[in-house]
Amino acid sequence: MSFPYEIKSVDPELNKEILSVFSGERQGYYHVGPKKYLLNSSYAKEAAQYYNVEVRPDDVWVVTYPRSGTTWTQELVWLLNNNLDYDRALKERLNERFPYLEISVLVHEGFRKDIIEYNNNDPDCIEALKKMCEPGYEAVKKMESPRHIKSHYPLSLLPPNLVDTCKVIYVARNPRDVAVSYYYQNRLLKFMGFEADFAKFWDLFQRDSVLWAPFWSHVEEGWELRNHPNMLFLFYEDMKKDLPAAIRKVAAFLNKTLTDDQVAKLVSHLDINNFKNNPAMKQIPDVIKGMERDGEPGFVRQGKTGSWRAEFTPEMSAKADAWMREHEKHTDLRFQL
């Protein structure tokens, strides 16, 4: 299979630094392509397979940088495209209805062995872990159409015919809120296993040294395609500010018509308090123990905008402002505060 980009190991000192605070990865990190997207050892072995995934015309993809409102958008999109089937949406985990393409590359083989041992070789755990870690490029082949697929890969690392073939929704969020949410997720999920404080995480985030970075390159790839007829570019902040309007915009993109009552019911279903307590949002099957760290906020955390202010020191905030101004020199993309 062809793959057009160079994959190079990151500088040894940087690799050592990242590995020292992320316990999930066991081997190391790579820079991919001219934008130097940071990805891990499993990706380096499977890059071509993901780049060459077969795309179907009736697919719907949600693509985001992590922690940009992905799960929220997935649930909305799936319901709109499945005749508002709330019964199924409440019973069947979102990850099964709307799978995460590259989840398998995040769970290092060494970590999988540790989890199996932690679960005392429980057959149900082994089977669930096997299903969870099936390479996404194999799993999506087996899906019936219309498929719904989530990915955090930047568009340049996904199939080159993606946007010309099917509908893609890209969601962007203020990077300061992204970083805070991403920090808590990386602490929660042991296969990511971040072991330091937020100041260290933000330092790595700004230096494009966390998975899927650089943030700006990732978002700009979506922004550049915002006028393509098959692309819907959304801001998380707009969705939070006026969810009914966002629902109608996504429905129109998917060629769906909604009554006011249907919009109101979707708004209620997607309300953060209902959403975070919905068992279908659970990311890890119950039979797999030890994948999440005790004492951390859940996968669906606050769903707020501007919560970064509670986490940033004045010095960090000043550096973040300068970092954003520097990047805004090169794009007309602007984030709401």
Side-chain angles (χ1 to χ4, degrees), residues 174 176-177 180 198 305-312 317 321 337:
N174 185 302
R176 289 168 286 203
D177 276 331
V180 170
F198 177 66
T305 58
S307 61
W308 62 269
R309 292 181 176 87
E311 306 282 348
F312 278 64
S317 185
D321 288 345
L337 297 178

Side-chain angles (χ1 to χ4, degrees), residues 30 33-34 49 53 60 91 94 105 113 130-131 138 140-141 171 190 212 215 235 259 267 275 303 306 317:
Y30 292 81
Q49 287 93 326
V53 166
V60 180
K91 292 175 184 175
L94 179 62
V105 304
K113 292 177 181 177
K130 180 181 178 182
K131 182 178 179 181
E138 294 291 347
V140 297
K141 287 181 185 177
V171 189
K190 289 185 179 179
W212 293 284
F215 169 85
F235 284 104
T259 66
V267 168
F275 193 62
S317 185

Side-chain angles (χ1 to χ4, degrees), residues 232-251:
L232 178 62
F233 189 101
L234 299 172
F235 284 104
Y236 178 82
E237 291 77 14
D238 289 338
M239 295 174 70
K240 289 294 296 182
K241 188 182 298 181
D242 191 344
L243 183 55
I247 288 171
R248 290 187 175 94
K249 180 180 284 189
V250 176

Side-chain angles (χ1 to χ4, degrees), residues 155-193:
L155 289 164
S156 59
L157 300 186
L158 288 169
N161 63 335
L162 178 67
V163 179
D164 288 333
T165 304
C166 63
K167 290 186 179 293
V168 178
I169 298 170
Y170 190 99
V171 189
R173 186 183 189 185
N174 185 302
R176 289 168 286 203
D177 276 331
V178 166
V180 170
S181 184
Y182 200 18
Y183 161 72
Y184 282 107
Q185 183 204 52
N186 276 266
R187 287 191 57 80
L188 171 68
L189 300 175
K190 289 185 179 179
F191 54 85
M192 305 295 278

Side-chain angles (χ1 to χ4, degrees), residues 50 100-106 136 150-153 158 212:
Y50 283 104
Y100 177 14
L101 181 68
E102 64 266 23
I103 180 64
S104 67
V105 304
L106 299 182
K150 156 193 166 181
S151 181
H152 290 316
Y153 287 143
L158 288 169
W212 293 284

Side-chain angles (χ1 to χ4, degrees), residues 54-115:
E54 183 180 358
V55 179
R56 301 176 190 168
D58 54 359
D59 285 349
V60 180
W61 290 56
V62 169
V63 179
T64 70
Y65 192 86
R67 309 308 287 177
S68 298
T70 323
T71 307
W72 204 34
T73 307
Q74 285 176 264
E75 182 75 345
L76 167 59
V77 168
W78 188 89
L79 280 165
L80 288 172
N81 225 27
N82 283 273
N83 300 312
L84 303 177
D85 188 349
Y86 290 101
D87 288 340
R88 185 178 168 198
L90 290 168
K91 292 175 184 175
E92 187 177 337
R93 288 195 313 118
L94 179 62
N95 275 1
E96 296 178 1
R97 294 180 277 123
F98 207 132
Y100 177 14
L101 181 68
E102 64 266 23
I103 180 64
S104 67
V105 304
L106 299 182
V107 187
H108 190 275
E109 185 178 349
F111 181 85
R112 297 178 204 178
K113 292 177 181 177
D114 291 347
I115 287 295

Side-chain angles (χ1 to χ4, degrees), residues 93-307:
R93 288 195 313 118
L94 179 62
N95 275 1
E96 296 178 1
R97 294 180 277 123
F98 207 132
Y100 177 14
L101 181 68
E102 64 266 23
I103 180 64
S104 67
V105 304
L106 299 182
V107 187
H108 190 275
E109 185 178 349
F111 181 85
R112 297 178 204 178
K113 292 177 181 177
D114 291 347
I115 287 295
I116 291 171
E117 183 177 340
Y118 180 86
N119 284 267
N120 299 311
N121 295 295
D122 176 67
D124 291 337
C125 168
I126 292 171
E127 183 60 31
L129 193 60
K130 180 181 178 182
K131 182 178 179 181
M132 177 180 173
C133 294
E134 180 183 14
Y137 51 84
E138 294 291 347
V140 297
K141 287 181 185 177
K142 305 171 188 175
M143 292 175 65
E144 294 183 5
S145 293
R147 302 182 303 182
H148 297 81
I149 300 170
K150 156 193 166 181
S151 181
H152 290 316
Y153 287 143
L155 289 164
S156 59
L157 300 186
L158 288 169
N161 63 335
L162 178 67
V163 179
D164 288 333
T165 304
C166 63
K167 290 186 179 293
V168 178
I169 298 170
Y170 190 99
V171 189
R173 186 183 189 185
N174 185 302
R176 289 168 286 203
D177 276 331
V178 166
V180 170
S181 184
Y182 200 18
Y183 161 72
Y184 282 107
Q185 183 204 52
N186 276 266
R187 287 191 57 80
L188 171 68
L189 300 175
K190 289 185 179 179
F191 54 85
M192 305 295 278
F194 187 68
E195 308 289 350
D197 60 12
F198 177 66
K200 179 61 178 178
F201 190 86
W202 175 248
D203 172 60
L204 291 170
F205 187 91
Q206 279 194 298
R207 291 162 50 203
D208 300 332
S209 297
V210 296
L211 284 180
W212 293 284
F215 169 85
W216 286 95
S217 296
H218 197 298
V219 177
E220 285 166 7
E221 288 190 15
W223 182 247
E224 288 166 2
L225 289 169
R226 66 192 182 279
N227 295 320
H228 192 291
N230 282 344
M231 168 68 81
L232 178 62
F233 189 101
L234 299 172
F235 284 104
Y236 178 82
E237 291 77 14
D238 289 338
M239 295 174 70
K240 289 294 296 182
K241 188 182 298 181
D242 191 344
L243 183 55
I247 288 171
R248 290 187 175 94
K249 180 180 284 189
V250 176
F253 180 68
L254 297 175
N255 300 314
K256 305 294 181 181
T257 302
L258 298 176
T259 66
D260 289 345
D261 286 346
Q262 288 172 324
V263 171
K265 187 172 181 178
L266 271 168
V267 168
S268 176
H269 179 81
L270 296 169
D271 177 85
I272 185 62
N273 294 316
N274 295 330
F275 193 62
K276 73 190 300 184
N277 293 318
N278 181 348
M281 297 304 109
K282 191 172 179 62
Q283 299 293 301
I284 310 297
D286 290 335
V287 296
I288 308 177
K289 310 298 183 187
M291 293 279 273
E292 296 182 344
R293 183 178 297 171
D294 293 337
E296 296 292 333
F299 188 84
V300 179
R301 200 173 61 91
Q302 292 183 343
K304 295 181 178 179
T305 58
S307 61

